[in-house]
Amino acid sequence: MTTFVLDTLAYAETLKAGGFNEQQAATQARALAEIIDRQMSTKAEVEAHENNLRRDIEALRLEMKRDIAETNARIAESKAELIRWVVGAGFLQTTLIIGALMKMGGMV
């Protein structure tokens, strides 16, 4: 844990000036010092947390990149299928028109 220096004597003196007795002021100063000491993060803890965040962000970035690539592949497949349908419909339409013209022209 990182050590946070709290001037407990000055804090206790402030409490006594505010109406606490000596025992109350000393107990309050020790309690506050313990709370601060427990709540302080070390530099290593902060760096570990930052590294975890960086790792999580990188994992999300890679997942997003993969999802975009999959979406692009699905779009390409859809385009190819749409082109096949349009070409097929064009051939069918051409065949029907030629058939109708031949029938109308008496060629059949």
Side-chain angles (χ1 to χ4, degrees), residues 1-4 36-50:
M1 275 284 166
T2 298
T3 304
F4 176 80
I36 289 172
D37 191 47
R38 279 195 308 268
Q39 297 299 317
M40 294 294 294
S41 297
T42 64
K43 185 177 180 181
E45 289 171 334
V46 170
E47 287 175 355
H49 183 66
E50 287 175 350

Short mmCIF file of all heavy atoms in Angstrom, two decimals, residues 1-4 36-50:
data_model
loop_
_atom_site.label_atom_id
_atom_site.label_comp_id
_atom_site.label_asym_id
_atom_site.label_seq_id
_atom_site.Cartn_x
_atom_site.Cartn_y
_atom_site.Cartn_z
N MET A 1 0.83 -1.18 0.00
CA MET A 1 0.00 0.00 0.00
C MET A 1 0.88 1.25 0.00
O MET A 1 1.93 1.26 0.60
CB MET A 1 -0.87 0.03 1.26
CG MET A 1 -2.15 -0.73 1.22
SD MET A 1 -3.34 0.15 0.27
CE MET A 1 -4.52 -1.13 0.07
N THR A 2 0.40 2.26 -0.63
CA THR A 2 1.07 3.55 -0.61
C THR A 2 0.87 4.16 0.76
O THR A 2 -0.21 4.09 1.34
CB THR A 2 0.46 4.49 -1.67
OG1 THR A 2 0.66 3.91 -2.94
CG2 THR A 2 1.09 5.85 -1.62
N THR A 3 1.91 4.76 1.26
CA THR A 3 1.79 5.40 2.57
C THR A 3 1.37 6.84 2.37
O THR A 3 1.97 7.58 1.61
CB THR A 3 3.13 5.35 3.33
OG1 THR A 3 3.54 4.00 3.41
CG2 THR A 3 3.01 5.94 4.70
N PHE A 4 0.30 7.19 3.03
CA PHE A 4 -0.18 8.56 3.02
C PHE A 4 0.12 9.12 4.39
O PHE A 4 -0.30 8.57 5.40
CB PHE A 4 -1.69 8.60 2.75
CG PHE A 4 -2.27 9.98 2.80
CD1 PHE A 4 -2.13 10.84 1.73
CD2 PHE A 4 -2.94 10.42 3.93
CE1 PHE A 4 -2.66 12.12 1.78
CE2 PHE A 4 -3.48 11.69 3.98
CZ PHE A 4 -3.34 12.55 2.90
N ILE A 36 -7.65 6.04 5.57
CA ILE A 36 -6.91 6.57 4.42
C ILE A 36 -5.91 5.54 3.93
O ILE A 36 -5.78 5.30 2.73
CB ILE A 36 -6.22 7.91 4.78
CG1 ILE A 36 -7.28 8.99 4.94
CG2 ILE A 36 -5.21 8.30 3.72
CD1 ILE A 36 -6.76 10.31 5.49
N ASP A 37 -5.19 4.90 4.86
CA ASP A 37 -4.18 3.92 4.47
C ASP A 37 -4.81 2.73 3.74
O ASP A 37 -4.27 2.23 2.77
CB ASP A 37 -3.42 3.43 5.72
CG ASP A 37 -2.20 2.61 5.34
OD1 ASP A 37 -1.44 3.07 4.46
OD2 ASP A 37 -2.03 1.52 5.91
N ARG A 38 -5.98 2.28 4.19
CA ARG A 38 -6.65 1.14 3.53
C ARG A 38 -7.18 1.52 2.15
O ARG A 38 -7.26 0.67 1.27
CB ARG A 38 -7.81 0.64 4.39
CG ARG A 38 -7.37 -0.27 5.52
CD ARG A 38 -8.55 -1.04 6.11
NE ARG A 38 -9.67 -0.20 6.50
CZ ARG A 38 -9.86 0.32 7.71
NH1 ARG A 38 -9.00 0.07 8.68
NH2 ARG A 38 -10.90 1.07 7.98
N GLN A 39 -7.57 2.78 1.98
CA GLN A 39 -8.20 3.19 0.73
C GLN A 39 -7.20 3.62 -0.34
O GLN A 39 -7.57 3.72 -1.51
CB GLN A 39 -9.19 4.35 0.99
CG GLN A 39 -10.34 3.96 1.89
CD GLN A 39 -11.19 2.86 1.29
OE1 GLN A 39 -11.50 2.87 0.12
NE2 GLN A 39 -11.55 1.89 2.12
N MET A 40 -5.99 3.86 0.03
CA MET A 40 -4.98 4.31 -0.93
C MET A 40 -4.59 3.17 -1.85
O MET A 40 -4.43 2.03 -1.43
CB MET A 40 -3.74 4.84 -0.21
CG MET A 40 -3.97 6.10 0.58
SD MET A 40 -4.39 7.53 -0.43
CE MET A 40 -2.89 7.76 -1.31
N SER A 41 -4.44 3.47 -3.13
CA SER A 41 -3.98 2.48 -4.10
C SER A 41 -2.49 2.70 -4.33
O SER A 41 -2.00 3.82 -4.36
CB SER A 41 -4.71 2.65 -5.43
OG SER A 41 -6.07 2.42 -5.27
N THR A 42 -1.81 1.59 -4.53
CA THR A 42 -0.38 1.71 -4.85
C THR A 42 -0.24 2.03 -6.32
O THR A 42 -1.15 1.83 -7.13
CB THR A 42 0.37 0.40 -4.54
OG1 THR A 42 -0.13 -0.62 -5.40
CG2 THR A 42 0.23 0.01 -3.09
N LYS A 43 0.93 2.50 -6.70
CA LYS A 43 1.22 2.78 -8.10
C LYS A 43 1.10 1.49 -8.91
O LYS A 43 0.57 1.50 -10.02
CB LYS A 43 2.62 3.38 -8.23
CG LYS A 43 2.96 3.80 -9.63
CD LYS A 43 4.32 4.46 -9.70
CE LYS A 43 4.63 4.88 -11.13
NZ LYS A 43 5.95 5.50 -11.24
N ALA A 44 1.55 0.39 -8.36
CA ALA A 44 1.46 -0.90 -9.06
C ALA A 44 0.01 -1.30 -9.28
O ALA A 44 -0.34 -1.83 -10.34
CB ALA A 44 2.20 -1.98 -8.27
N GLU A 45 -0.85 -1.05 -8.29
CA GLU A 45 -2.28 -1.38 -8.44
C GLU A 45 -2.92 -0.53 -9.55
O GLU A 45 -3.69 -1.04 -10.35
CB GLU A 45 -3.02 -1.16 -7.12
CG GLU A 45 -2.69 -2.17 -6.05
CD GLU A 45 -3.26 -1.81 -4.69
OE1 GLU A 45 -3.47 -0.61 -4.41
OE2 GLU A 45 -3.48 -2.74 -3.91
N VAL A 46 -2.56 0.74 -9.57
CA VAL A 46 -3.09 1.64 -10.60
C VAL A 46 -2.60 1.20 -11.98
O VAL A 46 -3.36 1.13 -12.94
CB VAL A 46 -2.71 3.11 -10.31
CG1 VAL A 46 -3.05 4.01 -11.48
CG2 VAL A 46 -3.40 3.60 -9.05
N GLU A 47 -1.31 0.87 -12.08
CA GLU A 47 -0.75 0.42 -13.36
C GLU A 47 -1.39 -0.89 -13.80
O GLU A 47 -1.68 -1.08 -14.99
CB GLU A 47 0.76 0.29 -13.27
CG GLU A 47 1.48 1.62 -13.22
CD GLU A 47 2.97 1.49 -13.00
OE1 GLU A 47 3.47 0.36 -12.78
OE2 GLU A 47 3.66 2.53 -13.05
N ALA A 48 -1.62 -1.80 -12.87
CA ALA A 48 -2.26 -3.07 -13.20
C ALA A 48 -3.67 -2.81 -13.72
O ALA A 48 -4.10 -3.43 -14.70
CB ALA A 48 -2.29 -3.99 -11.99
N HIS A 49 -4.38 -1.91 -13.07
CA HIS A 49 -5.74 -1.57 -13.51
C HIS A 49 -5.69 -0.96 -14.91
O HIS A 49 -6.51 -1.30 -15.78
CB HIS A 49 -6.38 -0.62 -12.52
CG HIS A 49 -7.78 -0.26 -12.83
ND1 HIS A 49 -8.81 -1.17 -12.80
CD2 HIS A 49 -8.34 0.92 -13.21
CE1 HIS A 49 -9.94 -0.58 -13.14
NE2 HIS A 49 -9.67 0.69 -13.40
N GLU A 50 -4.74 -0.06 -15.15
CA GLU A 50 -4.61 0.56 -16.47
C GLU A 50 -4.29 -0.50 -17.53
O GLU A 50 -4.83 -0.46 -18.63
CB GLU A 50 -3.52 1.63 -16.45
CG GLU A 50 -3.93 2.89 -15.72
CD GLU A 50 -2.80 3.90 -15.60
OE1 GLU A 50 -1.63 3.56 -15.92
OE2 GLU A 50 -3.08 5.03 -15.18
#
